[in-house]
Each structure stands twice: as C-alpha cells, then as structure tokens.
Amino acid sequence: MALCKAEETLNEALGAYDFGGQVAGALRYGQGHINDTFCVYVQTPEGDARRFILQRINTDTFTDPKGLMENIVGVTDYLRAIVEKNGGDTARETMTVLRTKEGATFYADATGGAGRVYPVVEDPLCLQKVEDPKQFYESARAFGRFQQLLADYPAATLHETIAKFHDTRNRFANFEKALAADACGRAKDVQAEIDFVLARKDDCSVMVNLLEAGELPLRVTHNDTKLNNILLDRKTGEGVCVIDLDTVMPGLAANDYGDSIRFGANHSAEDEKDLSKVNFDIGLFEIYTKGFLETAGGALTEKEKETLPWGAKLMTLECGIRFLTDYLEGDHYFKVHREGQNLDRCRTQFKLVRDMEAQWEDMAAVVKKYM
Ligand code: ADP
Ligand code: GN1
Ligand code: MG
C-alpha cells in the first residue's frame, strides 16, 4: 500500500521543490526496507545534470516526521560546521536537507504522508555487501568517526524517533505477543525459529540490564549502521558520508558497532535462502573492530569495549527476532518483495548468531587485541 501512495503522491512531492532546473523524471532507488526512496533527475538551464534523493517517510514507523526532521537538520548542521572548520567538503561529507519552496525541511502531502529531499552525494559507492575487506574497514572508521563527532551533541534535544528501538528485551516481549496472537497461523511452520528465540530470552536482557545498572552510558548513536547506510569514495575507498539518519538518537555504542557486524561480517545477502552460504567471517569482524576502535575507541569506556561482542550478537539476534515477529504478524513492517522473505531474513540472522556463539572466545580475543 505504501508503495502505491509513494507513486501516487510523487508529482505533488516534486512540485513542492525548486530543483534548480527541469525535472526529467524520478525512479525508485536503493534497497531500504522502510521508506520509499526515489532518485530525481534534473537538468539545469546550463545543461548540467543533477540528482536528488526524494524520500517519502514511512509514517507508520516514524510517527513524528517533524521531530525526526528536527533531529536530522540538527545533526547535519552540527556535522557541517565541523567539516567546514576542518576545511572539508561540506557537499559530500554530510547530508544537506533541501528546503521546500516554502522554506520547510519536509513536505506534507494530501494523503497525510511526509517526505524530504537531499541532493545526491556524488559519486556514491553504496554497497549491499562487502566486496573488498578494505571497504569494510573504511566503513568502520566512518561509523566510528560519526559517533565520535557527535560525542558532544546535545543528546537531550534529540527526539526518540522510534521508542525502545534497540531495547532487545522489549523486542523479545513483542515477539512473544506476536507468537501468542499468531495472526496468520504461521507459527506451526516455524517452530525451530521460535525455539531458537525462546532459548535466548536471557541474552536479550544483557545489554539493557547493563544500561539500567549504569554500567554502560547512553551516547548519540546512528542505530542503523548497515553497510548500505554509508557512502564510500569510489577512488580512495574511504567513507565519505553516513546517511539514513532517521534513527539517530541516544543509544549504545556497541549497537552501532554490532549492527554493522550483523550486516557486513559475512558474504551473503540478508535474505539468502541457502544457509550454507551464510557464514560469520571472523576476519571481517577483526577488520571492522580495528577500524571502529581506531576512530571511536578513544571515547569509549573499558566496559563499552569489552561488551562489543554482545553488541554484535544482540543486534543480529534482535534483527532476526524482528524479522520473525513481522513474519508472524503478516509482513507489515519490513518491505517484502516475495513470499517468505522475512522468514529467510530471520534465518540468515539466526545462522550468524549460531556462528558467533561458536566463536565467542575468538571474538572476545579480537576485541581485546584492539582495546
Ligand atoms: P532507507 O531508510 O529506506 O534505508 P536510505 O536513506 O538508506 O533509505 O536511502 C536508500 C538508498 O538511497 C541508500 O542506500 C543510498 O543508496 C541512497 N541514498 C540515500 N541518500 C543519499 C544521498 N544523499 N546521496 C546518495 N545516495 C543516497
Ligand atoms: C531497516 O531502513 P533500513 O533498510 O536502512 C530497519 C533496521 C534494520 C534493517 C534490517 C527504521 O533499515 O532497524 O536493522 O532494516 N530500520 C528501521 O536490514 O526499522
Ligand atoms: Mg538505509
């Protein structure tokens, strides 16, 4: 349904902006699971070509688009000032929100939807999986740097765009509710996956307990640090710009680290059906750990560093639980392009969790090496 509305309201959305030239068209873009993203192609009067990212925000997920855009403008303005001070390229090293003709940071359409536009950071290399370990290393340095640059950002001014986003204990509770309701009668076919989650109930509380006990601090974090949420420079291979800032809010450092490991420290797609191809790669894990600690490490406490493996395991477990919950509830949260896709996604995550559990000591040793 969201898919139709995004297309339906596209012209209205385009009309809200002055793109500095003639809009030649807009095409679906990227592989995000939540928002509807389009690339807008524009020709300037001088004959140059320009591209913009137009995104219709999923307001079922992000119920306060105004607060969300306040976060994004706040964070990107803050980062831009730092880039400027360091003599960097402000058009590439942070995102910029294009204002509407009326000067607003987002548009509201007739159907009650909302969206925003960013100039494309040219010439982006956005990866769905690691092709070369160096790319993963550079992404780690960039995500670590992002966190470090925001260390003094006034966290209290940030809106919580999704409540309890990485509260794994709460994700477990939501899973239990979905299981009890079994709205689509799917539980009978996924007993092995259900048992997998139930056996890890206590794990789900480990990081939340440490936070509640004051043993881990809240920091300003990205919270969705997939490899495809970073743009790399095609020539140097270095991380240029961290994107997809909808979930920037107070969180745990280990979760940013862990979500990157979940997505990137393997060689398969998130929805791979053939689980023999889904293997946690401790070599990539090490490369990421090195890069992340090089840039973020100075600001982290010993406890935060020690618990990084928990971040990796719990972000993977939590994501698997979320995919399974969505499967049980009828695939209403994550976009699916084929039947069973959320179940396949859940299975890859659980396979990776199993692999991590089998290599738990090695993971701890790697982290220790770079602490
Ligand atoms: P979602 O929340 O749906 O994941 P993203 O914000 O990650 O949406 O955008 C989807 C894709 O669009 C990204 O993976 C990236 O390929 C591309 N993209 C988004 N913003 C930009 C940008 N400013 N410049 C270049 N590419 C972008
Ligand atoms: C979603 O929007 P996207 O595709 O970058 C999700 C993340 C999950 C991820 C799994 C707001 O990210 O939390 O880890 O899918 N984002 C939201 O691929 O729920
Ligand atoms: Mg994304």
Side-chain angles (χ1 to χ4, degrees):
M1 220 191 333
L3 204 112
C4 298
K5 275 202 181 157
E7 259 87 24
E8 251 172 52
T9 56
L10 186 56
N11 279 334
E12 190 187 344
L14 291 170
Y17 290 89
D18 175 358
F19 291 99
Q22 195 190 343
V23 174
L27 296 173
R28 284 251 169 205
Y29 196 72
Q31 296 194 24
H33 294 339
I34 309 293
N35 293 319
D36 291 290
T37 304
F38 297 86
C39 186
V40 182
Y41 298 83
V42 172
Q43 188 176 44
T44 69
E46 297 78 34
D48 294 329
R50 279 208 205 131
R51 301 193 296 165
F52 296 83
I53 296 292
L54 183 148
Q55 268 178 335
R56 189 169 191 271
I57 300 167
N58 183 330
T59 45
D60 290 336
T61 301
F62 298 107
T63 51
D64 174 18
K66 186 169 171 281
L68 179 149
M69 289 310 294
E70 271 171 31
N71 282 1
I72 294 183
V73 170
V75 165
T76 51
D77 283 353
Y78 184 88
L79 293 175
R80 191 172 311 101
I82 298 176
V83 173
E84 224 160 40
K85 201 168 116 216
N86 295 341
D89 182 346
T90 49
R92 268 167 67 77
E93 292 172 39
T94 184
M95 303 229 284
T96 304
V97 177
L98 185 72
R99 301 308 197 256
T100 66
K101 285 174 185 163
E102 288 167 1
T105 56
F106 65 102
Y107 66 83
D109 64 38
T111 64
R116 67 309 176 76
V117 169
Y118 304 107
V120 161
V121 174
E122 300 288 1
D123 150 38
L125 177 59
C126 181
L127 299 165
Q128 302 304 328
K129 57 183 168 184
V130 175
E131 294 162 350
D132 173 347
K134 184 176 180 292
Q135 296 164 333
F136 200 41
Y137 169 74
E138 294 296 348
S139 78
R141 286 185 56 87
F143 277 129
R145 189 168 53 241
F146 180 83
Q147 198 169 98
Q148 186 246 325
L149 289 177
L150 292 177
D152 293 326
Y153 189 83
T157 63
L158 285 171
H159 303 267
E160 195 179 13
T161 55
I162 300 180
K164 294 181 184 283
F165 190 56
H166 283 318
D167 179 337
T168 314
R169 187 170 60 201
N170 189 59
R171 295 289 185 183
F172 182 91
N174 289 343
F175 158 76
E176 279 185 315
K177 280 183 214 143
L179 180 58
D182 194 16
C184 305
R186 288 175 168 179
K188 61 180 179 340
D189 305 322
V190 292
Q191 197 55 49
E193 287 73 19
I194 291 168
D195 291 342
F196 186 91
V197 178
L198 295 177
R200 287 162 181 78
K201 179 175 182 175
D202 291 347
D203 285 354
C204 292
S205 294
V206 168
M207 292 297 269
V208 197
N209 285 348
L210 289 172
L211 174 67
E212 286 173 355
E215 290 188 47
L216 290 174
L218 271 184
R219 301 197 179 272
V220 174
T221 50
H222 182 282
N223 295 302
D224 188 5
T225 51
K226 294 199 275 196
L227 185 64
N228 63 12
N229 283 333
I230 199 149
L231 304 175
L232 302 173
D233 185 288
R234 277 182 196 278
K235 285 191 207 90
T236 64
E238 282 171 23
V240 177
C241 187
V242 173
I243 62 168
D244 203 345
L245 306 179
D246 296 333
T247 49
V248 173
M249 52 187 161
L252 295 177
N255 290 346
D256 272 8
Y257 165 87
D259 198 45
S260 289
I261 298 296
R262 170 190 82 73
F263 191 80
N266 64 78
H267 300 275
S268 54
E270 197 181 53
D271 62 348
E272 174 60 57
K273 281 167 175 281
D274 179 355
L275 290 184
S276 73
K277 292 186 185 152
V278 182
N279 299 298
F280 172 63
D281 183 332
I282 190 112
L284 287 177
F285 174 81
E286 173 157 1
I287 281 163
Y288 192 93
T289 304
K290 180 173 186 287
F292 188 81
L293 286 178
E294 275 170 7
T295 50
L300 303 184
T301 65
E302 289 298 287
K303 190 73 179 173
E304 280 179 295
K305 291 183 206 166
E306 253 171 46
T307 50
L308 289 177
W310 273 106
K313 174 171 154 175
L314 289 190
M315 282 302 94
T316 315
L317 178 63
E318 179 188 286
C319 200
I321 293 175
R322 293 172 64 197
F323 287 141
L324 183 58
T325 304
D326 200 31
Y327 179 73
L328 291 171
E329 289 178 341
D331 307 309
H332 65 78
Y333 187 87
F334 296 103
K335 280 192 194 125
V336 286
H337 308 285
R338 58 176 169 78
E339 216 173 290
Q341 195 172 10
N342 270 323
L343 181 58
D344 292 333
R345 289 174 178 151
C346 151
R347 287 179 171 150
T348 62
Q349 303 309 292
F350 291 171
K351 169 63 171 57
L352 294 170
V353 170
R354 261 190 218 289
D355 286 359
M356 289 181 200
E357 287 172 347
Q359 296 176 68
W360 195 241
E361 257 85 76
D362 298 335
M363 287 169 71
V366 165
V367 169
K368 214 169 196 154
K369 183 170 158 191
Y370 295 98
M371 266 171 78

